[in-house]
Amino acid sequence: MFKPQIKVPATYMRGGTSKGVFFNLTDLPAPAQVAGEARDSLLLRVIGSPDPYGKQTDGMGGATSSTSKTVILSKSEQPDHDVDYLFGQVAIDKAFVDWSGNCGNLTSAVGAFAISNGLVDKGRVPDNGIAIVRVWQANIKKSILVHVPMTNGEVQETGDFELDGVTFPAAEVKLEFIDPADGDGALFPTGNVIDDLEVPGVGTLKATMINAGIPTIFINAADIGYTGTELQGDINSDNAALTMLESIRAHGAVKMGLINNINEAQARQHTPKVAFVAAPHDYISSSGKHINASDISILVRAMSMGKLHHAMMGTAAVAIGTAAAIKGTLVNVAAGGGAINEVNFGHPSGTLKVGAEAILTDGQWQVSKASMSRSARVLMEGWVRAPFDF
């Protein structure tokens, strides 16, 4: 007996430089409304994973880490919040959904979905102006404020805000990540702003390992033979480079205390991220746009799910802004050093501005919030169909 196809209400949305399938928790089949095998199996089938061909042709995924994503939203169970946001990063070639981190890009779409699907009390949503949606990020247990523009009682999605990595302009959505450091207060899990990271076969690298937005390992581009101006093809077509960067990620994850040994890294693909940084330099972006060194503070390239990201993950942007604001980190040094509360960094698709507020209290760095702007819009809504017989 073959599994029947079921249909589940869903919305396909772009948020920042990512896109994914959004669900209202109560619309999922009962077995998938709780964490576990049934939920993971459904989401894998919806996205089209695992796919040994790496294309996700038989699903909604777009065969990249930026487009193999799912979001589950519900009315918040937390005081002073509107919506609970759960993010699932779906592996492309493995039967695996990673729930260990957030997607900052898709966060920009969470507010719009929440308002349009009645998850925000109407009294908190103006007919015109900006609705501030208070989001509880359930994966990392953090608060995020999403500023959603409203026009005549509807979410305003069109506009003239341009975001490098996204083809068309849209309405600007401002994001504020409140207290973005790790929940236990360990902004720097090793206690240091710079560590020596030993990676067999690579050497000992200077590294800044930070928990802000998402756990991230920053290294100097020059230390691994790069300039910081690389595009996707320069890295993703080089298997030796991908193997090296994954080894750096695995050993960094152990040093950060995220895993006990490097063999566990495969079961934790979404976090931590690895990024390499360099001082500003002219380069041509993936769209052919000339980026002038004088227009940026720093160059950053980041890995996501084993590949160089085509732009920048929103959560990694939070890590960049936070690290830049703290004197002595590799990011701060590459950005010129000193007191920095905002950086405009260069990534493969162009540039992005991110700000953070950091203070030194009793010898410990604390970050009250990080902020940036993205955009979002609905691409399709209705039902998604998938075989499911739990």
Side-chain angles (χ1 to χ4, degrees):
M1 186 68 179
F2 294 106
K3 294 180 180 180
Q5 281 248 91
I6 64 167
K7 62 179 187 179
V8 182
T11 303
Y12 198 44
M13 297 191 75
R14 177 187 64 77
T17 56
S18 293
K19 59 183 177 181
V21 183
F22 282 61
F23 299 95
N24 187 331
L25 176 65
T26 56
D27 287 336
L28 293 174
Q33 290 186 22
V34 295
E37 181 183 354
R39 173 182 288 178
D40 287 5
S41 296
L42 175 62
L43 298 182
L44 283 161
R45 198 66 177 87
V46 164
I47 294 297
S49 294
D51 183 0
Y53 302 105
K55 304 298 183 183
Q56 292 179 322
T57 304
D58 199 20
M60 299 295 293
T64 69
S65 66
S66 301
T67 57
S68 186
K69 300 185 173 189
T70 56
V71 170
I72 300 173
L73 298 174
S74 58
K75 272 189 170 292
S76 184
E77 297 181 354
Q78 304 295 321
D80 302 318
H81 288 77
D82 301 301
V83 61
D84 289 345
Y85 160 36
L86 188 64
F87 168 68
Q89 177 75 56
V90 180
I92 296 171
D93 59 348
K94 298 178 177 67
F96 177 64
V97 182
D98 196 327
W99 301 99
S100 67
N102 177 32
C103 175
N105 275 298
L106 289 188
T107 301
S108 59
V110 167
F113 181 97
I115 291 171
S116 299
N117 287 270
L119 298 176
V120 181
D121 290 343
K122 291 183 178 180
R124 290 191 44 78
V125 182
D127 284 341
N128 294 280
I130 301 295
I132 300 178
V133 180
R134 302 166 300 177
V135 177
W136 178 252
Q137 215 302 321
N139 301 76
I140 59 174
K141 297 177 172 55
K142 288 291 179 179
S143 298
I144 305 170
L145 301 180
V146 182
H147 297 245
V148 182
M150 301 292 299
T151 300
N152 298 328
E154 300 288 338
V155 172
Q156 176 69 41
E157 295 182 305
T158 57
D160 58 6
F161 176 74
E162 295 185 356
L163 179 64
D164 286 337
V166 176
T167 305
F168 303 107
E172 181 178 10
V173 178
K174 294 182 179 179
L175 304 175
E176 292 180 279
F177 297 81
I178 309 302
D179 184 24
D182 184 84
D184 64 4
L187 185 61
F188 297 99
T190 67
N192 306 313
V193 295
I194 295 181
D195 282 283
D196 288 328
L197 178 61
E198 295 182 13
V199 184
V202 179
T204 300
L205 304 172
K206 295 296 182 184
T208 289
M209 292 176 279
I210 190 169
N211 278 337
I214 199 164
T216 305
I217 303 159
F218 290 104
I219 55 178
N220 287 319
D223 290 348
I224 54 172
Y226 295 126
T227 64
T229 61
E230 287 76 17
L231 303 182
Q232 278 191 298
D234 300 320
I235 305 295
N236 294 345
S237 61
D238 186 341
N239 288 331
L242 296 177
T243 299
M244 174 189 67
L245 288 161
E246 176 58 21
S247 183
I248 293 170
R249 191 185 80 87
H251 285 85
V254 173
K255 198 170 182 74
M256 293 179 80
L258 297 173
I259 57 177
N260 294 316
N261 62 74
I262 61 170
N263 296 326
E264 296 176 12
Q266 283 300 307
R268 190 182 176 117
Q269 297 180 341
H270 184 51
T271 59
K273 303 299 187 188
V274 171
F276 49 96
V277 301
H281 196 280
D282 292 355
Y283 69 99
I284 304 298
S285 76
S286 56
S287 67
K289 180 180 178 181
H290 186 83
I291 308 298
N292 296 311
S294 58
D295 294 332
I296 54 178
S297 314
I298 186 174
L299 292 166
V300 190
R301 301 295 188 264
M303 303 297 292
S304 178
M305 301 293 284
K307 300 288 186 179
L308 186 72
H309 196 277
H310 73 286
M312 184 57 61
M313 304 80 78
T315 48
V318 171
I320 292 166
T322 301
I326 296 173
K327 294 179 182 179
T329 68
L330 294 184
V331 181
N332 176 265
V333 172
I340 298 173
N341 56 24
E342 187 175 76
V343 288
N344 189 36
F345 63 86
H347 56 73
S349 293
T351 66
L352 178 64
K353 187 178 292 184
V354 59
E357 299 175 2
I359 57 172
L360 188 61
T361 304
D362 297 328
Q364 298 292 321
W365 283 102
Q366 296 180 335
V367 180
S368 58
K369 69 176 180 178
S371 58
M372 62 181 168
S373 289
R374 313 302 269 170
S375 63
R377 77 179 184 93
V378 171
L379 302 178
M380 183 179 290
E381 54 193 345
W383 295 271
V384 65
R385 290 179 180 256
F388 187 75
D389 64 354
F390 281 89

